[in-house]
């Protein structure tokens, strides 16, 4: 069997696609990944050993402007290319996990009469999936709340949860400590702003860095995002903090995310849906700082699903300060029983069978339909 898999722009769309691709590959499927040639998938997907073809897909501008014409032209070009590629590849199935890169690929598959599935990670679907939902055969959802935003027949919709890469649960702590050069006797604070990093979080960390460097109480793994890395290093130096201090690991982008998650005792994170699925699966207590400008505030919604069960503490962007962040970190690190309760609550929210559920549905779709 052959599948074209698409999804991208950011990691939150790419990693669920790769999780599905890995399982299909194990079952003998031939996989071709199509995405934008300008975005993260063009780097991440070939590194994972998949055939990748980059298209000219572009994100539509948020406001009406002349850029809409160029975006339309580039997406049309991507659509025509996707048609040609799919026609020659003869995919049995096309799966899109959202992001603008998936749009032209899934639409081309619809036109060719291929079987099509989209997966939506968020409670509030992105614009690409909202449009594609009108045409595809099946819609897999992480949150049932997404359904009311989609114009689609109920029979098409399956609640599957978010598929998470198998390597994330399989990672061994010993290997993680070694890989990240961490001290096993100390607690580890993971800081991540999602696949692109979060400037708002990065700017509020100096006190936390200072505390870590001076007190030998906990160590930090900070994933800054590629575009923010230099700024973070500059800021550390300006505050006389040695970026090579043994208690501080500043990393622009970590391909081996399984190690950071396995080593973490506490995570400070944005509230992207894919990140939260990984955090709950790894049962990590979290302090979440949702991106306020995310469409329909979907990151706050995501964060509340954890906070309402006691798995996370939310700090809203408008109340974020270095002092508040440091106080929350210290109060959690000094309260082991609270950390354990949060960890158990996170675990209870984890959707452990999502990937298996998706693969079973795919088997049924390609054999029965
Ligand atoms: C700004 C924006 O629009 N964010 C959206 C985007 O977030 P984004 O693309 O940041 O996705 P998430 O935060 O959900 O997940 C980040 C992903 O990147 C991985 N990772 C991150 C850093 C790193 O160094 N290495 C690494 O591998 C994580 O393991 C995770 O798989 O997609 C999510 C899923 O649709 C949405 O919920 C978010 O609202």
């Amino acid at each position: 069997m052959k599948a074209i898999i698409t999804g991208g722009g950011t990691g939150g769309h790419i990693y669920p696609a790769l999780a599905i691709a890995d399982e299909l590959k194990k079952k003998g499927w031939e996989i071709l990944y199509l995405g934008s040639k300008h975005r993260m998938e063009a780097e991440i997907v070939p590194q994972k050993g998949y055939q990748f073809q980059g298209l000219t897909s572009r994100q539509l501008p948020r406001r009406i402007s002349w850029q809409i014409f160029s975006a339309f032209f580039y997406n049309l070009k991507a659509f025509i290319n996707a048609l040609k590629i799919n026609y020659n590849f003869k995919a049995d199935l096309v799966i899109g996990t959202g992001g603008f890169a998936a749009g032209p690929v899934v639409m081309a598959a619809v036109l060719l009469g291929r079987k099509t599935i989209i997966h939506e990670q968020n409670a509030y679907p992105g614009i690409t999936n909202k449009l594609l939902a009108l045409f595809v055969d099946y819609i897999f959802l992480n949150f049932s709340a997404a359904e009311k935003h989609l114009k689609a027949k109920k029979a098409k919709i399956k609640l599957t949860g978010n598929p998470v890469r198998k390597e994330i649960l399989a990672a061994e702590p010993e290997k993680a400590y070694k890989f990240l050069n961490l001290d096993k006797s100390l607690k580890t604070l993971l800081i991540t702003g999602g696949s692109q990093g979060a400037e708002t979080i990065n700017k509020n960390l100096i006190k936390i860095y200072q505390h870590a460097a001076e007190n030998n109480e906990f160590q930090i793994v900070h994933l800054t995002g590629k575009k923010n890395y230099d700024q973070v290093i500059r800021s550390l130096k300006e505050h006389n903090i040695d970026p090579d201090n043994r208690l501080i690991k500043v990393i622009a982008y970590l391909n081996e995310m399984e190690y950071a998650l396995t080593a973490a005792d506490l995570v400070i994170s944005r509230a992207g849906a894919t990140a939260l699925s990984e955090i709950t699966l790894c049962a990590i207590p979290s302090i979440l700082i949702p991106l306020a400008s995310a469409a329909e505030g979907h990151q706050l919604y995501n964060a509340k699903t954890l906070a309402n069960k006691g798995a996370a503490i939310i700090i809203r962007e408008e109340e974020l300060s270095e002092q508040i962040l440091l106080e929350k970190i210290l109060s959690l690190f000094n309260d082991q029983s609270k950390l354990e309760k949060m960890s158990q609550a996170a675990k209870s929210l984890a959707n452990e069978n999502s990937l298996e559920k998706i693969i079973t549905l795919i088997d049924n779709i390609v054999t029965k339909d």
Side-chain angles (χ1 to χ4, degrees), residues 49-107:
Y50 287 101
Q51 270 189 80
F52 176 83
Q53 288 201 37
L55 304 174
T56 52
S57 345
R58 290 275 167 94
Q59 194 160 21
L60 293 177
R62 285 189 174 200
R63 289 191 202 96
I64 304 280
S65 74
W66 63 269
Q67 283 172 327
I68 208 155
F69 296 107
S70 69
F72 177 78
F73 167 77
Y74 283 115
N75 285 320
L76 182 65
K77 199 171 159 194
F79 169 76
I80 292 166
N81 249 326
L83 268 178
K84 283 190 214 154
I85 293 168
N86 195 340
Y87 181 80
N88 292 326
F89 185 73
K90 299 185 175 48
D92 298 289
L93 179 67
V94 174
I95 306 170
T97 53
F100 65 91
V105 181
V106 177
M107 275 319 293

Side-chain angles (χ1 to χ4, degrees), residues 92-138:
D92 298 289
L93 179 67
V94 174
I95 306 170
T97 53
F100 65 91
V105 181
V106 177
M107 275 319 293
V110 169
L111 199 75
L112 289 170
R114 307 286 198 242
K115 282 177 183 156
T116 46
I117 298 172
I118 54 171
H119 179 273
E120 175 57 57
Q121 300 85 45
N122 298 288
Y124 187 82
I127 178 89
T128 305
N129 273 349
K130 267 186 169 171
L131 286 171
L132 292 176
L134 299 168
F135 306 101
V136 294
D137 297 316
Y138 291 96

Side-chain angles (χ1 to χ4, degrees), residues 209 213 220 222 224 229-251:
Y209 271 120
I220 297 175
H222 179 192
T224 62
Y229 178 80
D230 290 342
Q231 173 58 39
V232 170
I233 296 291
R234 249 196 321 275
S235 160
L236 285 176
K237 288 182 179 157
E238 277 163 22
H239 289 86
N240 296 321
I241 304 167
D242 177 6
D244 295 322
N245 183 304
R246 70 175 188 93
L247 298 171
I248 296 173
K249 318 283 170 203
V250 188
I251 301 169

Side-chain angles (χ1 to χ4, degrees), residues 33-45:
Y33 200 114
L34 299 183
S36 164
K37 63 178 171 188
H38 306 290
R39 299 299 289 259
M40 298 176 83
E41 59 268 30
E43 207 176 308
I44 293 171
V45 175

Side-chain angles (χ1 to χ4, degrees), residues 255-269:
N255 285 315
E256 298 79 3
M257 189 66 179
E258 62 275 19
Y259 290 140
L261 290 165
T262 303
D265 296 287
L266 175 66
V267 58
I268 296 177
S269 178

